[in-house]
Amino acid sequence: MENITLLLGVVIVTALVFDFTNGFHDTANAMATTISTGALKPKTAVAMSAVLNLIGAFLSVEVAKTISGGLINESGITTEVIFAALVGAILWNLLTWLIGLPSSSSHALFGGLIGATLMSAGASGVNGSVVITKVLLPAIAAPIVAGIAAYFATRLTFKLAGRTSEKSTAKGYRAGQIASAGLVSLAHGTNDAQKTMGVITLALVTGNVLAPGANPPMWVIVSAGVAIALGTYLGGWRIIRTMGTGLTDLKPPQGFAAQTSAATVILASSHLGFSLSTTQVCSGSVMGAGLGRKGGVVRWSTATRMFVAWGLTLPAAGLVAAAAEFLTGQGAWGVTATAILLVAGSAVIWTLSRRKPVTADDLDSTRSAGTPDEPAGVVTTAIAAVAVPPAGVLTTDDIKATLHSPTGTSAEPARPAASV
């Protein structure tokens, strides 16, 4: 019993470490666009996001119940399995953070749970229908829905403000961006903090501390909320740089449209118990907003690397977790060796990150200098050719000037109002 209690403590601490990495890995989801457009200073943005992540953790437990009692079968699952799952998720989170890719912390956790369970109990330990309906399908649909919503919201925003100068609307859009970023942070706390709550609750069930199907205790909710808030405050500057300026260049109306669309999708999914990836939703909305502005260019080379990371997350975290579960299954020495390997791997990644650190000051300088544009790709060209202009009359010459200009945008001459 003493050994089980000690192992449970190790698993709970490891789960909170994962929650912490989830916080700084996913800070970009809420604040990258707000920082890139200058609506908020980097440190102010992450402080605001941290507070709202903490508040969001108390709003619902539907996603936590999906993980603790739906994704895998509780019967036959040991505490060592959960520990191995967390090892796979943490190492993948740290690796993708090191290279600045906004991969999914949620899918890293799911992959870890599935991989460790398959190694321990076989295919019967995983609820395939839940994996398909509440993980895989939302993973495909959510970024597409958010991207389409952000695209049309951006088009509508520019159309409504087409006859108003950018300077006169700047304050309004700045306030709108701050409000929508706060909503995304609240939604992120509601969705992502619950995943750690679900894992800890699952560990307590396997350790016979809680009955199967029990809701997370209050101390679990509080600790998970605090861990993700602290991680958010630390700031994942590498991924914020990729999300804010690596995918596309956003103006305040686009940032507002992207964040509002993302928050709507995340909050709706949390209410329904869909444990989707907030990273994928926010990335999809950023790309949709980038394409929604006439002349906007999405950097498809960065997007392609991001898509590859998304596709690798589940299997990669699952493989690491399966290997960790094989090791922990050897007994106490295996659990100890797995813990040592986790600490050593995390230390190596941290050391590598210090060779070329990214700070909040770097984000300010990047935003001021701008980032090099990528030539318009097939998707951008096609959308520019068929999209209705936000205001005025768009001619063939305008499209050619936009697509062949060095910056991907054209100096737009004054045009007569569109005839009705």
Side-chain angles (χ1 to χ4, degrees):
M1 185 67 178
E2 183 179 351
N3 183 48
I4 292 177
T5 302
L6 176 62
L7 185 56
L8 266 177
V10 170
V11 170
I12 291 170
V13 170
T14 307
L16 293 176
V17 170
F18 166 77
D19 204 23
F20 181 81
T21 66
N22 191 350
F24 73 73
H25 195 281
D26 289 4
T27 307
N29 296 345
M31 292 301 168
T33 56
T34 305
I35 293 170
S36 69
T37 60
L40 283 175
K41 291 291 185 181
K43 292 183 179 179
T44 304
V46 297
M48 169 183 161
S49 183
V51 172
L52 291 170
N53 264 279
L54 177 59
I55 295 172
F58 293 88
L59 298 184
S60 172
V61 294
E62 292 302 316
V63 174
K65 288 193 290 186
T66 296
I67 293 174
S68 64
L71 189 64
I72 61 178
N73 295 322
E74 297 168 341
S75 58
I77 298 302
T78 64
T79 309
E80 288 88 348
V81 172
I82 301 172
F83 177 57
L86 290 167
V87 170
I90 290 172
L91 289 177
W92 182 256
N93 261 4
L94 292 176
L95 180 61
T96 50
W97 163 76
L98 175 66
I99 59 180
L101 280 181
S103 68
S104 170
S105 297
S106 305
H107 286 182
L109 179 58
F110 301 151
L113 284 170
I114 293 169
T117 301
L118 288 174
M119 176 59 71
S120 174
S124 62
V126 178
N127 293 324
S129 60
V130 175
V131 173
I132 293 172
T133 58
K134 293 205 170 185
V135 177
L136 296 182
L137 290 180
I140 296 171
I144 295 174
V145 171
I148 292 173
Y151 171 80
F152 284 108
T154 300
R155 300 297 303 177
L156 178 63
T157 300
F158 276 111
K159 187 175 182 63
L160 293 176
R163 295 179 177 83
T164 308
S165 68
E166 185 175 325
K167 184 177 180 181
S168 61
T169 59
K171 286 186 178 180
Y173 280 125
R174 180 177 181 275
Q177 269 201 281
I178 294 172
S180 59
L183 190 59
V184 173
S185 295
L186 196 68
H188 183 264
T190 303
N191 195 283
D192 279 42
Q194 286 189 60
K195 293 158 190 170
T196 301
M197 296 177 205
V199 170
I200 295 176
T201 302
L202 182 60
L204 294 173
V205 170
T206 62
N208 297 318
V209 176
L210 292 177
N215 286 335
M218 180 55 66
W219 69 265
V220 172
I221 297 174
V222 172
S223 59
V226 170
I228 200 170
L230 289 174
T232 301
Y233 183 70
L234 182 66
W237 307 119
R238 293 170 181 272
I239 299 176
I240 290 176
R241 181 175 62 181
T242 300
M243 283 276 284
T245 59
L247 277 175
T248 185
D249 293 323
L250 296 179
K251 294 183 179 294
Q254 294 168 280
F256 173 69
Q259 289 168 320
T260 304
S261 302
T264 302
V265 172
I266 295 168
L267 287 172
S269 68
S270 296
H271 177 71
L272 296 172
F274 291 129
S275 190
L276 53 72
S277 165
T278 54
T279 299
Q280 293 180 1
V281 172
C282 293
S283 299
S285 67
V286 167
M287 286 188 282
L291 293 173
R293 174 170 62 88
K294 184 174 69 67
V297 174
V298 170
R299 298 181 180 90
W300 294 108
S301 60
T302 301
T304 300
R305 291 193 301 120
M306 189 173 65
F307 295 151
V308 171
W310 290 359
L312 289 176
T313 296
L314 271 170
L319 286 173
V320 175
E325 165 55 22
F326 176 79
L327 193 56
T328 59
Q330 307 307 308
W333 73 266
V335 174
T336 304
T338 302
I340 292 172
L341 289 173
L342 172 60
V343 173
S346 302
V348 168
I349 293 173
W350 175 259
T351 302
L352 291 174
S353 74
R354 294 302 88 196
R355 291 183 177 180
K356 195 173 181 181
V358 179
T359 66
D361 294 335
D362 294 325
L363 296 185
D364 278 331
S365 60
T366 298
R367 187 174 63 83
S368 300
T371 53
D373 280 315
E374 185 176 90
V378 175
V379 177
T380 305
T381 304
I383 290 178
V386 302
V388 180
V393 179
L394 182 65
T395 67
T396 304
D397 292 337
D398 292 330
I399 296 174
K400 289 179 179 178
T402 296
L403 296 179
H404 292 92
S405 68
T407 62
T409 57
S410 61
E412 201 172 348
R415 299 186 186 127
S419 57
V420 178

